[in-house]
């Protein structure tokens, strides 16, 4: 399964909105500038997110977009399903031999589980781990 730029950039929009949840609407131009992305492309992505009820839009000079519910209630799977469709690593698995079919279903279930259990709040709060793993090297 390959997540396209639609899913990746759509998740970027949602993470940025989650980081600023409760602070009012955020203009897409700000998200685009902060992440070095095309504002026009983000406009295309936010429309299905709005139609699905994941985000709300506010018009006007201080308008923009905001999450329609708290970040802990929106999973990354919600976003990916809206923008990418069903989560499946292989199409037509019903024609596969039983061992392969089981493998594809296990992979699908594992990916679904990760996406279903990772909320926007989790992603917004993510801090990169220090790469220093405590080893001391002497020369």
């Amino acid at each position: 399964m390959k997540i396209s730029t639609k899913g990746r950039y759509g998740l970027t929009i949602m993470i940025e909105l989650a980081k600023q949840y409760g602070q009012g609407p955020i203009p897409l131009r700000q998200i685009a500038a902060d992440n070095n992305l095309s504002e026009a492309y983000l406009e295309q992505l936010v429309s299905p997110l709005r139609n699905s009820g994941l985000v709300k839009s506010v018009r006007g000079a201080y308008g923009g977009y905001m999450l329609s519910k708290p970040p802990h209630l929106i999973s990354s799977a919600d976003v990916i399903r809206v923008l990418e469709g069903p989560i499946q690593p292989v199409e037509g698995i019903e024609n596969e031999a039983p061992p392969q079919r089981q493998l594809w279903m296990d992979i699908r279930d594992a990916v679904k589980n990760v996406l279903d259990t990772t909320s926007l709040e989790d992603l917004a709060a993510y801090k990169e781990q220090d790469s220093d793993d405590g080893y001391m090297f002497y020369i």
Side-chain angles (χ1 to χ4, degrees):
M1 178 176 134
K2 186 173 181 179
I3 305 285
S4 71
T5 56
K6 284 170 50 174
R8 291 173 35 225
Y9 292 178
L11 209 48
T12 299
I13 293 169
M14 298 297 281
I15 292 168
E16 291 298 319
L17 294 178
K19 286 179 181 177
Q20 300 183 47
Y21 183 73
Q23 299 177 19
I26 310 301
L28 271 188
R29 78 178 158 287
Q30 178 183 333
I31 296 172
D34 291 349
N35 293 279
N36 199 26
L37 301 173
S38 162
E39 183 181 353
Y41 189 50
L42 296 188
E43 282 287 351
Q44 293 175 14
L45 299 178
V46 81
S47 181
L49 294 170
R50 188 183 64 245
N51 291 341
S52 69
L54 294 177
V55 299
K56 297 188 284 192
S57 62
V58 177
R59 294 177 167 263
Y62 299 102
Y65 293 91
M66 50 203 283
L67 296 179
S68 61
K69 49 189 169 183
H72 72 276
L73 295 178
I74 302 173
S75 73
S76 54
D78 296 331
V79 178
I80 296 300
R81 284 186 185 107
V82 166
L83 296 172
E84 299 281 355
I87 298 165
Q88 55 185 30
V90 176
E91 292 182 22
I93 64 171
E94 60 277 350
N95 299 328
E96 295 280 346
Q100 290 100 320
R101 182 175 43 239
Q102 187 60 50
L103 174 66
W104 303 137
M105 290 187 329
D106 290 348
I107 292 170
R108 179 202 61 207
D109 294 345
V111 170
K112 278 184 176 182
N113 182 50
V114 170
L115 292 174
D116 283 334
T117 59
T118 305
S119 72
L120 290 181
E121 183 176 67
D122 299 331
L123 295 171
Y126 179 80
K127 300 282 186 236
E128 196 159 347
Q129 299 288 331
D130 236 355
S131 63
D132 178 22
D133 47 8
Y135 290 109
M136 179 71 68
F137 295 99
Y138 296 95
I139 298 177

